[in-house]
C-alpha cells in the first residue's frame, strides 16, 4: 500500500450495472488499503433471484439491501479508517438513506459511462446474475448525483488503470491528506 496523499474516506462507488464499479473499487482497495465491500453481496437472496430472472427491482425490494449497505458504511465511518462500497445508488433517495444517521461524510464516486459502452460491457460480462436486459430499467431509474451532493464524477477511461489513476487524482485534489499543524 502506497501513500496516495488522500485522507481516509468512506466511498460509495456508484452507477448502473456494467459501469466498472467493482474494477474501480478493487483498484482503489489495492492502492489505498481501505476495507472494501462488494454491495451486490449484501442483496437478499430474493433480490438476486429476481434480477437473475430479468425482473427489475422495486424500491421496496431495494430497501433491505440499502439498509445493509448503510450499516456497513456506518461501521466504516465510526472506524475513521476509510472504506469502499460498491452500490448502484441510482436514486437520490437511496443516496440520502445511505448517508443518514452519521454517515453524512461519505463520498459518492459516480461512474458516468455512455449507454452504448454499458450495453457492450454487459453483453461480454460472464458470471454475474444481472442480465443485460435490465440495463434500460437501471437507466430509467438513474438520477445522477447533483452538485449539492458533492459527487466525484469519473468519466469513461481507456483502461482500468486509467480509471483508477483518474479517480485517485480527483480524490487527492478534493480530499488531501491532512498534515499535523506544527506549533
Amino acid at each position: 500500500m502506497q501513500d496516495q496523499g488522500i485522507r481516509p474516506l468512506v466511498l460509495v462507488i456508484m452507477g448502473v450495472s456494467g459501469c466498472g464499479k467493482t474494477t474501480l473499487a478493487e483498484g482503489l482497495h489495492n492502492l489505498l488499503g481501505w476495507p472494501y465491500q462488494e454491495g451486490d453481496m449484501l442483496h437478499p437472496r430474493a433480490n438476486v433471484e429476481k434480477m437473475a430472472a430479468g425482473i427489475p427491482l422495486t424500491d421496496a425490494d431495494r430497501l433491505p439491501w440499502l439498509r445493509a449497505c448503510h450499516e456497513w458504511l456506518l461501521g466504516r465511518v465510526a472506524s475513521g479508517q476509510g472504506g469502499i462500497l460498491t452500490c448502484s445508488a441510482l436514486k437520490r433517495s437511496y443516496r440520502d438513506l445511505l448517508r443518514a444517521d452519521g454517515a453524512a461524510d461519505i463520498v459518492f464516486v459516480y461512474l458516468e459511462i455512455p449507454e452504448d459502452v454499458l450495453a457492450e460491457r454487459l453483453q461480454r460480462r460472464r458470471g454475474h446474475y444481472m442480465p443485460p436486459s435490465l440495463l434500460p430499467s437501471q437507466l430509467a431509474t438513474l438520477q445522477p448525483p447533483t452538485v449539492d451532493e458533492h459527487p466525484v464524477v469519473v468519466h469513461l477511461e481507456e483502461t482500468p488503470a486509467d480509471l483508477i489513476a483518474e479517480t485517485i487524482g480527483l480524490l487527492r485534489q478534493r480530499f488531501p491528506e491532512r498534515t499535523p499543524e506544527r506549533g
Side-chain angles (χ1 to χ4, degrees):
M1 174 174 56
Q2 301 173 357
D3 175 13
Q4 295 294 325
I6 303 165
R7 64 181 164 94
L9 300 166
V10 179
L11 305 175
V12 175
I13 310 300
M14 65 162 290
V16 298
S17 186
C19 70
K21 294 184 295 288
T22 298
T23 299
L24 178 57
E26 288 175 351
L28 293 175
H29 166 72
N30 290 336
L31 281 172
L32 301 170
W34 301 342
Y36 159 55
Q37 173 65 54
E38 177 63 49
D40 284 346
M41 301 304 290
L42 299 175
H43 268 295
R45 184 163 195 66
N47 284 7
V48 174
E49 290 170 358
K50 196 171 184 179
M51 287 184 283
I55 302 168
L57 298 180
T58 66
D59 285 354
D61 294 329
R62 287 186 179 100
L63 191 55
W65 170 63
L66 291 167
R67 286 183 179 145
C69 290
H70 175 68
E71 289 302 315
W72 190 87
L73 291 167
L74 283 178
R76 297 315 316 149
V77 168
S79 80
Q81 298 175 356
I84 304 163
L85 171 76
T86 58
C87 175
S88 55
L90 297 175
K91 287 185 178 182
R92 171 76 181 243
S93 61
Y94 304 166
R95 296 187 295 275
D96 289 346
L97 189 152
L98 292 172
R99 75 174 132 232
D101 305 323
D105 291 335
I106 66 170
V107 176
F108 289 95
V109 177
Y110 172 48
L111 296 173
E112 188 173 62
I113 308 293
E115 187 174 342
D116 60 327
V117 174
L118 291 166
E120 188 223 329
R121 285 182 178 183
L122 288 174
Q123 290 297 330
R124 290 186 319 210
R125 185 161 74 173
R126 301 287 175 252
H128 196 278
Y129 57 79
M130 176 90 168
S133 62
L134 288 181
L135 179 59
S137 73
Q138 285 219 325
L139 291 169
T141 302
L142 177 64
Q143 297 170 347
T146 55
V147 174
D148 66 310
E149 294 179 84
H150 309 288
V152 172
V153 180
V154 182
H155 299 92
L156 178 66
E157 294 293 337
E158 289 297 314
T159 67
D162 293 336
L163 176 68
I164 294 161
E166 173 73 10
T167 305
I168 289 284
L170 291 169
L171 291 171
R172 185 182 300 122
Q173 183 181 9
R174 289 228 348 238
F175 306 100
E177 190 166 33
R178 295 182 188 134
T179 54
E181 305 239 353
R182 299 188 181 184

